Short mmCIF file of all heavy atoms in Angstrom, two decimals:
data_model
loop_
_atom_site.label_atom_id
_atom_site.label_comp_id
_atom_site.label_asym_id
_atom_site.label_seq_id
_atom_site.Cartn_x
_atom_site.Cartn_y
_atom_site.Cartn_z
N ARG A 274 124.98 158.42 141.82
CA ARG A 274 124.87 158.17 140.38
C ARG A 274 125.36 159.37 139.57
O ARG A 274 126.14 159.24 138.62
CB ARG A 274 123.40 157.89 140.04
CG ARG A 274 123.06 157.92 138.56
CD ARG A 274 121.57 157.65 138.36
NE ARG A 274 120.74 158.82 138.57
CZ ARG A 274 120.18 159.54 137.60
NH1 ARG A 274 120.40 159.22 136.33
NH2 ARG A 274 119.40 160.58 137.88
N CYS A 275 124.92 160.56 139.98
CA CYS A 275 125.30 161.78 139.25
C CYS A 275 126.80 162.07 139.40
O CYS A 275 127.44 162.54 138.45
CB CYS A 275 124.47 162.95 139.75
SG CYS A 275 122.72 162.84 139.32
N GLU A 276 127.36 161.79 140.57
CA GLU A 276 128.79 162.00 140.75
C GLU A 276 129.60 161.05 139.89
O GLU A 276 130.58 161.45 139.24
CB GLU A 276 129.18 161.81 142.22
CG GLU A 276 130.67 162.05 142.47
CD GLU A 276 131.09 161.82 143.90
OE1 GLU A 276 130.39 162.32 144.81
OE2 GLU A 276 132.10 161.13 144.11
N LEU A 277 129.22 159.78 139.85
CA LEU A 277 129.93 158.81 139.02
C LEU A 277 129.84 159.19 137.55
O LEU A 277 130.82 159.06 136.80
CB LEU A 277 129.35 157.42 139.24
CG LEU A 277 129.60 156.79 140.61
CD1 LEU A 277 128.75 155.52 140.78
CD2 LEU A 277 131.08 156.47 140.80
N CYS A 278 128.67 159.65 137.12
CA CYS A 278 128.49 160.09 135.74
C CYS A 278 129.37 161.28 135.42
O CYS A 278 130.04 161.32 134.36
CB CYS A 278 127.02 160.44 135.50
SG CYS A 278 126.64 160.93 133.80
N TYR A 279 129.43 162.24 136.34
CA TYR A 279 130.24 163.43 136.13
C TYR A 279 131.73 163.07 136.02
O TYR A 279 132.46 163.60 135.18
CB TYR A 279 130.04 164.44 137.26
CG TYR A 279 130.71 165.76 137.02
CD1 TYR A 279 130.06 166.77 136.31
CD2 TYR A 279 132.00 166.00 137.48
CE1 TYR A 279 130.68 167.99 136.07
CE2 TYR A 279 132.63 167.20 137.24
CZ TYR A 279 131.97 168.20 136.54
OH TYR A 279 132.61 169.39 136.29
N LYS A 280 132.16 162.14 136.87
CA LYS A 280 133.57 161.72 136.84
C LYS A 280 133.93 161.07 135.51
O LYS A 280 135.02 161.29 134.98
CB LYS A 280 133.84 160.73 137.98
CG LYS A 280 134.09 161.37 139.33
CD LYS A 280 134.45 160.29 140.36
CE LYS A 280 134.91 160.89 141.66
NZ LYS A 280 135.29 159.85 142.65
N GLU A 281 133.04 160.26 134.98
CA GLU A 281 133.36 159.53 133.74
C GLU A 281 133.06 160.32 132.48
O GLU A 281 133.85 160.30 131.53
CB GLU A 281 132.58 158.21 133.71
CG GLU A 281 132.88 157.38 132.47
CD GLU A 281 132.18 156.03 132.45
OE1 GLU A 281 131.74 155.58 133.54
OE2 GLU A 281 132.06 155.44 131.37
N LEU A 282 131.94 161.04 132.46
CA LEU A 282 131.50 161.69 131.23
C LEU A 282 131.65 163.20 131.24
O LEU A 282 131.45 163.85 130.22
CB LEU A 282 130.04 161.32 130.95
CG LEU A 282 129.73 159.82 130.88
CD1 LEU A 282 128.24 159.61 130.61
CD2 LEU A 282 130.56 159.13 129.81
N GLY A 283 131.95 163.78 132.43
CA GLY A 283 132.12 165.23 132.51
C GLY A 283 130.81 166.00 132.53
O GLY A 283 130.80 167.22 132.34
N GLN A 284 129.72 165.32 132.75
CA GLN A 284 128.41 165.96 132.82
C GLN A 284 127.48 165.09 133.63
O GLN A 284 127.77 163.92 133.90
CB GLN A 284 127.83 166.16 131.42
CG GLN A 284 127.62 164.86 130.66
CD GLN A 284 127.18 165.09 129.23
OE1 GLN A 284 127.42 166.14 128.65
NE2 GLN A 284 126.53 164.10 128.64
N PHE A 285 126.34 165.66 134.02
CA PHE A 285 125.35 164.90 134.76
C PHE A 285 124.45 164.14 133.80
O PHE A 285 124.31 164.52 132.63
CB PHE A 285 124.51 165.85 135.62
CG PHE A 285 125.27 166.52 136.72
CD1 PHE A 285 125.18 167.90 136.92
CD2 PHE A 285 126.09 165.79 137.57
CE1 PHE A 285 125.89 168.52 137.94
CE2 PHE A 285 126.79 166.40 138.59
CZ PHE A 285 126.70 167.77 138.78
N PRO A 286 123.81 163.07 134.27
CA PRO A 286 122.89 162.33 133.39
C PRO A 286 121.70 163.18 133.00
O PRO A 286 121.31 164.12 133.70
CB PRO A 286 122.47 161.13 134.25
CG PRO A 286 122.74 161.55 135.66
CD PRO A 286 123.92 162.46 135.61
N SER A 287 121.10 162.85 131.87
CA SER A 287 120.01 163.66 131.34
C SER A 287 118.76 163.61 132.21
O SER A 287 117.94 164.54 132.18
CB SER A 287 119.66 163.19 129.92
OG SER A 287 119.29 161.81 129.93
N ASP A 288 118.62 162.56 133.01
CA ASP A 288 117.44 162.43 133.86
C ASP A 288 117.77 162.73 135.33
O ASP A 288 117.27 162.06 136.22
CB ASP A 288 116.83 161.03 133.74
CG ASP A 288 117.80 159.94 134.21
OD1 ASP A 288 119.01 160.22 134.32
OD2 ASP A 288 117.34 158.81 134.48
N ILE A 289 118.57 163.75 135.55
CA ILE A 289 119.08 164.05 136.88
C ILE A 289 117.97 164.20 137.92
O ILE A 289 118.11 163.78 139.07
CB ILE A 289 119.98 165.31 136.84
CG1 ILE A 289 120.62 165.58 138.20
CG2 ILE A 289 119.24 166.50 136.33
CD1 ILE A 289 121.68 166.67 138.16
N GLY A 290 116.87 164.83 137.56
CA GLY A 290 115.72 164.89 138.45
C GLY A 290 115.79 165.94 139.54
O GLY A 290 114.87 166.04 140.37
N VAL A 291 116.87 166.72 139.58
CA VAL A 291 117.00 167.82 140.55
C VAL A 291 117.56 169.02 139.79
O VAL A 291 117.95 168.92 138.64
CB VAL A 291 117.94 167.45 141.72
CG1 VAL A 291 117.38 166.27 142.51
CG2 VAL A 291 119.35 167.16 141.23
N LYS A 292 117.61 170.16 140.48
CA LYS A 292 118.13 171.36 139.82
C LYS A 292 119.65 171.25 139.62
O LYS A 292 120.37 170.82 140.52
CB LYS A 292 117.80 172.60 140.65
CG LYS A 292 116.31 172.92 140.69
CD LYS A 292 116.03 174.20 141.48
CE LYS A 292 114.54 174.52 141.48
NZ LYS A 292 114.24 175.74 142.26
N ILE A 293 120.10 171.65 138.45
CA ILE A 293 121.52 171.54 138.10
C ILE A 293 122.39 172.33 139.07
O ILE A 293 123.47 171.87 139.47
CB ILE A 293 121.77 172.04 136.65
CG1 ILE A 293 121.05 171.13 135.66
CG2 ILE A 293 123.26 172.07 136.36
CD1 ILE A 293 121.57 169.71 135.60
N GLN A 294 121.94 173.52 139.46
CA GLN A 294 122.76 174.35 140.35
C GLN A 294 123.01 173.65 141.68
O GLN A 294 124.13 173.60 142.18
CB GLN A 294 122.11 175.70 140.60
CG GLN A 294 122.93 176.61 141.52
CD GLN A 294 122.29 177.97 141.75
OE1 GLN A 294 121.38 178.36 141.03
NE2 GLN A 294 122.78 178.70 142.74
N GLY A 295 121.95 173.11 142.28
CA GLY A 295 122.10 172.42 143.55
C GLY A 295 123.00 171.21 143.43
O GLY A 295 123.83 170.95 144.31
N ALA A 296 122.85 170.47 142.34
CA ALA A 296 123.68 169.29 142.11
C ALA A 296 125.14 169.69 141.93
O ALA A 296 126.04 169.03 142.47
CB ALA A 296 123.18 168.53 140.89
N THR A 297 125.37 170.75 141.19
CA THR A 297 126.74 171.21 140.94
C THR A 297 127.40 171.65 142.23
O THR A 297 128.57 171.31 142.51
CB THR A 297 126.74 172.37 139.93
OG1 THR A 297 126.15 171.93 138.71
CG2 THR A 297 128.17 172.85 139.66
N GLU A 298 126.67 172.39 143.05
CA GLU A 298 127.24 172.85 144.33
C GLU A 298 127.50 171.69 145.28
O GLU A 298 128.50 171.67 145.99
CB GLU A 298 126.30 173.87 144.97
CG GLU A 298 126.24 175.19 144.22
CD GLU A 298 125.25 176.18 144.80
OE1 GLU A 298 124.34 175.73 145.53
OE2 GLU A 298 125.37 177.38 144.52
N ALA A 299 126.61 170.73 145.29
CA ALA A 299 126.77 169.59 146.20
C ALA A 299 127.91 168.67 145.78
O ALA A 299 128.67 168.19 146.62
CB ALA A 299 125.47 168.79 146.26
N ILE A 300 128.07 168.47 144.48
CA ILE A 300 129.00 167.46 143.98
C ILE A 300 130.33 168.04 143.52
O ILE A 300 131.40 167.48 143.82
CB ILE A 300 128.36 166.68 142.82
CG1 ILE A 300 127.14 165.91 143.32
CG2 ILE A 300 129.37 165.73 142.16
CD1 ILE A 300 126.31 165.26 142.22
N VAL A 301 130.30 169.16 142.82
CA VAL A 301 131.49 169.62 142.10
C VAL A 301 132.14 170.86 142.71
O VAL A 301 133.34 170.86 143.04
CB VAL A 301 131.15 169.91 140.62
CG1 VAL A 301 132.42 170.31 139.86
CG2 VAL A 301 130.50 168.69 139.98
N SER A 302 131.38 171.92 142.84
CA SER A 302 131.99 173.22 143.15
C SER A 302 131.96 173.57 144.63
O SER A 302 132.77 174.36 145.11
CB SER A 302 131.29 174.32 142.36
OG SER A 302 129.94 174.45 142.77
N GLY A 303 131.00 173.00 145.37
CA GLY A 303 130.81 173.42 146.75
C GLY A 303 130.02 174.71 146.81
O GLY A 303 129.78 175.36 145.80
N LYS A 304 129.63 175.07 148.00
CA LYS A 304 128.89 176.31 148.22
C LYS A 304 129.59 177.09 149.31
O LYS A 304 130.02 176.53 150.32
CB LYS A 304 127.45 175.98 148.64
CG LYS A 304 126.51 177.17 148.64
CD LYS A 304 125.07 176.72 148.85
CE LYS A 304 124.11 177.91 148.77
NZ LYS A 304 122.70 177.49 148.91
N LYS A 305 129.75 178.37 149.10
CA LYS A 305 130.53 179.19 150.04
C LYS A 305 130.05 179.08 151.47
O LYS A 305 130.84 179.10 152.40
CB LYS A 305 130.51 180.66 149.58
CG LYS A 305 131.29 180.92 148.30
CD LYS A 305 131.26 182.39 147.93
CE LYS A 305 132.06 182.66 146.65
NZ LYS A 305 132.03 184.10 146.28
N THR A 306 128.74 178.97 151.64
CA THR A 306 128.19 178.92 153.00
C THR A 306 128.12 177.50 153.56
O THR A 306 127.73 177.32 154.71
CB THR A 306 126.78 179.52 153.01
OG1 THR A 306 125.96 178.81 152.07
CG2 THR A 306 126.82 181.00 152.63
N ALA A 307 128.50 176.50 152.75
CA ALA A 307 128.40 175.10 153.21
C ALA A 307 129.57 174.75 154.10
O ALA A 307 130.69 175.24 153.92
CB ALA A 307 128.35 174.17 152.01
N SER A 308 129.32 173.87 155.07
CA SER A 308 130.37 173.44 155.99
C SER A 308 131.14 172.24 155.47
O SER A 308 132.17 171.87 156.03
CB SER A 308 129.76 173.08 157.35
OG SER A 308 128.77 172.07 157.22
N SER A 309 130.66 171.63 154.39
CA SER A 309 131.29 170.43 153.85
C SER A 309 131.87 170.70 152.46
O SER A 309 131.36 171.54 151.71
CB SER A 309 130.29 169.28 153.75
OG SER A 309 129.74 168.99 155.01
N GLN A 310 132.91 169.95 152.13
CA GLN A 310 133.46 170.01 150.78
C GLN A 310 132.50 169.35 149.81
O GLN A 310 131.67 168.53 150.20
CB GLN A 310 134.81 169.29 150.73
CG GLN A 310 135.93 169.95 151.49
CD GLN A 310 137.23 169.18 151.33
OE1 GLN A 310 137.25 167.95 151.46
NE2 GLN A 310 138.30 169.88 151.05
N PRO A 311 132.60 169.67 148.51
CA PRO A 311 131.77 168.96 147.53
C PRO A 311 132.06 167.46 147.59
O PRO A 311 133.18 167.05 147.89
CB PRO A 311 132.19 169.58 146.20
CG PRO A 311 133.51 170.23 146.45
CD PRO A 311 133.49 170.65 147.87
N THR A 312 131.06 166.64 147.31
CA THR A 312 131.22 165.21 147.52
C THR A 312 132.29 164.59 146.64
O THR A 312 132.87 163.56 147.00
CB THR A 312 129.88 164.48 147.26
OG1 THR A 312 129.48 164.66 145.89
CG2 THR A 312 128.80 165.01 148.17
N ILE A 313 132.58 165.20 145.51
CA ILE A 313 133.61 164.64 144.62
C ILE A 313 134.98 164.66 145.28
O ILE A 313 135.89 163.91 144.89
CB ILE A 313 133.62 165.41 143.27
CG1 ILE A 313 134.20 164.53 142.16
CG2 ILE A 313 134.35 166.75 143.40
CD1 ILE A 313 133.96 165.08 140.77
N MET A 314 135.12 165.48 146.33
CA MET A 314 136.38 165.57 147.06
C MET A 314 136.50 164.49 148.13
O MET A 314 137.58 164.26 148.66
CB MET A 314 136.51 166.95 147.72
CG MET A 314 136.48 168.11 146.76
SD MET A 314 137.92 168.12 145.67
CE MET A 314 139.22 168.50 146.85
N HIS A 315 135.39 163.82 148.45
CA HIS A 315 135.40 162.78 149.46
C HIS A 315 135.77 161.46 148.81
O HIS A 315 135.12 161.04 147.84
CB HIS A 315 134.02 162.66 150.13
CG HIS A 315 133.62 163.85 150.91
ND1 HIS A 315 133.53 163.85 152.29
CD2 HIS A 315 133.31 165.12 150.54
CE1 HIS A 315 133.16 165.05 152.72
NE2 HIS A 315 133.01 165.84 151.68
#
């Protein structure tokens, strides 16, 4: 849901329910120590 919102609106929904940093790293930017690309790349 948050990825689809980011793709269309350029931001996460207001009721994201998780920390913005974790969501950003998981979906958009990736994390240096992570073995996977951010989900928006999949």
Side-chain angles (χ1 to χ4, degrees):
R274 167 181 81 104
C275 292
E276 181 182 313
L277 291 170
C278 182
Y279 188 87
K280 279 184 171 181
E281 181 177 341
L282 305 179
Q284 61 186 23
F285 294 131
S287 58
D288 62 343
I289 184 171
V291 298
K292 292 182 179 179
I293 296 294
Q294 180 179 346
T297 301
E298 290 176 340
I300 296 172
V301 183
S302 65
K304 191 171 183 178
K305 290 182 179 179
T306 57
S308 57
S309 302
Q310 291 182 314
T312 62
I313 204 167
M314 301 294 292
H315 295 249

